[in-house]
Amino acid sequence: QVQLVESGGGLVQAGGSLRLSCAASGSRFSFNAMGWYRQAPGKQRELVATITSGGSTQYADSVKGRFTISRDNVKDMVYLQMNVLKPEDTAVYYCNAVVLSSFLSRTYWGQGTQVTVSS
């Protein structure tokens, strides 16, 4: 019953900003890592940013300096602040969460939220 529910997507002009939110629930264990992926039409899904429970972050080169990922471990939420948006950022953005243990790992995905950046 793990669910990741996203919000915040929409249409924005180039140079604008959006903040994506993802609320996670239903896991018996803490999420070791959470992140965001995106997929544009006709392209492969790519990693945008990740953050561990300890706050360590990773970003795709294409978004460094523009996007910021953060999380609230108490509320099990992860955010993606997107600034200086470009048309190339247009994609469906997916929230991702990973639970790790000594014997298994589980990956969960949100439903995806559309981000469209007009030129």
PDB file of all heavy atoms in Angstrom, residues 1 25 67:
ATOM      1  N   GLN A   1       0.803  -1.206   0.000  1.00  0.00           N
ATOM      2  CA  GLN A   1       0.000   0.000   0.000  1.00  0.00           C
ATOM      3  C   GLN A   1       0.839   1.261   0.000  1.00  0.00           C
ATOM      4  O   GLN A   1       0.350   2.341   0.342  1.00  0.00           O
ATOM      5  CB  GLN A   1      -0.953   0.031   1.193  1.00  0.00           C
ATOM      6  CG  GLN A   1      -2.049  -1.019   1.152  1.00  0.00           C
ATOM      7  CD  GLN A   1      -3.031  -0.874   2.284  1.00  0.00           C
ATOM      8  OE1 GLN A   1      -2.646  -0.688   3.429  1.00  0.00           O
ATOM      9  NE2 GLN A   1      -4.310  -0.978   1.968  1.00  0.00           N
ATOM     10  N   SER A  25       3.624   7.460   1.626  1.00  0.00           N
ATOM     11  CA  SER A  25       2.921   6.859   2.748  1.00  0.00           C
ATOM     12  C   SER A  25       2.858   5.350   2.578  1.00  0.00           C
ATOM     13  O   SER A  25       3.033   4.824   1.478  1.00  0.00           O
ATOM     14  CB  SER A  25       1.504   7.426   2.875  1.00  0.00           C
ATOM     15  OG  SER A  25       0.724   7.099   1.738  1.00  0.00           O
ATOM     16  N   PHE A  67      17.924  23.394 -10.096  1.00  0.00           N
ATOM     17  CA  PHE A  67      16.981  22.596  -9.321  1.00  0.00           C
ATOM     18  C   PHE A  67      17.557  22.295  -7.947  1.00  0.00           C
ATOM     19  O   PHE A  67      18.774  22.110  -7.791  1.00  0.00           O
ATOM     20  CB  PHE A  67      16.677  21.265 -10.013  1.00  0.00           C
ATOM     21  CG  PHE A  67      15.893  21.376 -11.287  1.00  0.00           C
ATOM     22  CD1 PHE A  67      15.646  22.600 -11.886  1.00  0.00           C
ATOM     23  CD2 PHE A  67      15.399  20.232 -11.889  1.00  0.00           C
ATOM     24  CE1 PHE A  67      14.928  22.700 -13.070  1.00  0.00           C
ATOM     25  CE2 PHE A  67      14.674  20.308 -13.066  1.00  0.00           C
ATOM     26  CZ  PHE A  67      14.435  21.538 -13.660  1.00  0.00           C
TER      27      PHE A  67
END
